[in-house]
Amino acid sequence: MRIVIAGGHGRIALRLERLLSAAGHEPVGLVRRPEQAEDLREAGAEPVVLDLESASVAEVAEALRGADAAVFAAGAGPGSGADRKDTVDRAAAVLFADAAERAGVRRFVVVSSMGADAGHPGDEVFDAYLRAKGAADDEIRSRPALDWTVLRPGALTDDAGKGTVRLGAATGRGPVPRDDVAATIAELLETPATAGLTLELVAGSTPLSVAVKDVAGN
């Protein structure tokens, strides 16, 4: 499969690109800065320099043309303010979905966040982040032209992945290594019967492939 990943230089995305490339897929990563391209090449991905905060739907659709799947893994990141939570975590996700529809790419996986909720209260930046993520999820889940899966990981860590997780509609809070998030996304892409599901993900004791198969079609 040819899989286009928004936020291609992110810590989850780079892990995912390595996994997809090793499995024989063709990952394509959208990055904001040209100097990030070499890291993607080293991960086995084709870099495309495209800033989702300024690009048009037509430009993003061109990057998605011919893809079998799209993954939204972009984020404003630590240290960004509430405004960029909206422009990246919400608006860029909606733009990417618009472009996927225009390009005819149905399979669409969103890396969201546990607790994402468009109505989340609070005035802190993290509250704005959860609202932005929730609003983006709501928008994408409303689109019948997309075979979407929304993945909501718990607290992300850089611990080595264990290959075992807890995955379901409601898992309870907990940490999860980025390695295992990336591996779960790769499994979701291989499992089209997970379309239409919003799933929480934390560390657990179930092998990844089994966890994904257990939720598929539910």
Side-chain angles (χ1 to χ4, degrees):
M1 292 189 293
R2 182 174 175 85
I3 300 159
V4 178
I5 303 164
H9 195 259
R11 285 185 282 177
I12 290 172
L14 286 168
R15 289 166 165 85
L16 176 61
E17 288 153 5
R18 292 187 192 99
L19 291 172
L20 294 174
S21 178
H25 299 299
E26 299 176 32
V28 178
L30 306 185
V31 295
R32 292 176 59 226
R33 298 194 294 273
E35 60 268 24
Q36 296 172 328
E38 188 55 37
D39 289 339
L40 270 71
R41 293 189 189 98
E42 289 177 3
E46 174 191 336
V48 173
V49 179
L50 191 62
D51 186 347
L52 293 178
E53 289 183 270
S54 59
S56 68
V57 173
E59 289 170 327
V60 182
E62 186 58 34
L64 281 158
R65 196 84 55 195
D68 300 290
V71 177
F72 186 81
S80 57
D83 288 349
R84 289 203 69 230
K85 302 305 183 191
D86 185 69
T87 58
V88 179
D89 292 286
R90 184 197 60 78
V94 173
L95 172 72
F96 198 53
D98 288 341
E101 288 186 335
R102 182 176 293 198
V105 180
R106 289 197 63 91
R107 189 70 176 111
F108 196 95
V109 176
V110 181
V111 184
S112 183
S113 174
M114 191 171 290
D117 180 355
H120 181 82
D123 300 323
E124 301 298 323
V125 171
F126 190 69
D127 299 321
Y129 167 76
L130 292 176
R131 284 193 293 273
K133 280 292 192 186
D137 293 352
D138 290 347
E139 171 71 23
I140 289 159
R141 291 184 298 191
S142 73
R143 296 176 182 229
L146 297 179
D147 294 330
W148 54 264
T149 304
V150 174
L151 183 65
R152 293 178 164 177
L156 299 170
T157 76
D158 287 325
D159 296 341
K162 295 183 178 178
T164 57
V165 297
R166 185 177 180 195
L167 179 70
T171 62
R173 294 189 176 274
V176 62
R178 288 180 173 86
D179 286 351
D180 288 333
V181 177
T184 300
I185 297 166
E187 286 283 345
L188 291 171
L189 289 167
E190 296 271 15
T191 314
T194 56
L197 299 179
T198 300
L199 300 167
E200 295 185 350
L201 177 71
V202 294
S205 58
T206 304
L208 264 161
S209 59
V210 175
V212 172
K213 287 182 176 66
D214 283 349
V215 300
N218 291 333

